[in-house]
Amino acid sequence: MKCSENQDLESGSVESALSLIPTTAFFLLVLQLMLSGSWQLLDKIDISNAINRSALFSAEVGESAFYALDSSREIDQEVLALPGGGEIITYSSTLDIPVITNLSGSAIKMKSEGIAIRE
């Protein structure tokens, strides 16, 4: 009788261990999505700051620039003249997002764009 009680106590341990694997994979995927969203928000804030700084101080009509800030980020700036006067300043940024797990792919790239109109 004592032997059957021990078997009943240990019968659910394999099933609970098998449910841990998909739960861990789901947790890592959700963590990757949260990191991607946070990275995108930070990139949009940085693009907004760069556009405002460029619109106030340094952009010239016809100017096009390409910046590689680090190995994971590239910024492309372009200034175009408007027909009635003024300029349009556009920024485009490509950013490599850090990968936590390879379940979502090996390389995740995100593109952000911003625009400012200067009169």
Side-chain angles (χ1 to χ4, degrees):
M1 187 164 198
K2 189 141 179 121
C3 184
S4 66
E5 287 178 9
N6 285 340
Q7 287 176 352
D8 289 339
L9 292 176
E10 295 177 1
S11 66
S13 63
V14 174
E15 289 83 7
S16 64
L18 288 176
S19 68
L20 189 63
I21 295 169
T23 304
T24 304
F26 179 71
F27 172 75
L28 289 174
L29 284 172
V30 168
L31 191 62
Q32 181 69 52
L33 286 173
M34 288 175 46
L35 179 69
S36 299
S38 299
W39 227 256
Q40 185 177 18
L41 180 65
L42 291 174
D43 189 46
K44 285 189 184 274
I45 290 170
D46 201 24
I47 286 285
S48 176
N49 288 338
I51 287 175
N52 289 336
R53 193 176 323 116
S54 187
L56 290 174
F57 301 115
S58 65
E60 298 292 327
V61 176
E63 180 180 329
S64 182
F66 178 78
Y67 308 104
L69 297 179
D70 52 19
S71 62
S72 66
R73 182 158 185 216
E74 300 168 349
I75 293 179
D76 185 24
Q77 170 194 351
E78 189 173 359
V79 181
L80 302 170
L82 290 173
E87 296 95 23
I88 294 180
I89 304 168
T90 60
Y91 266 71
S92 177
S93 171
T94 304
L95 178 68
D96 291 333
I97 296 176
V99 177
I100 293 175
T101 178
N102 286 336
L103 295 173
S104 60
S106 59
I108 301 173
K109 291 193 178 264
M110 178 187 58
K111 185 173 182 178
S112 297
E113 294 180 349
I115 187 170
I117 299 173
R118 181 170 55 183
E119 295 182 26

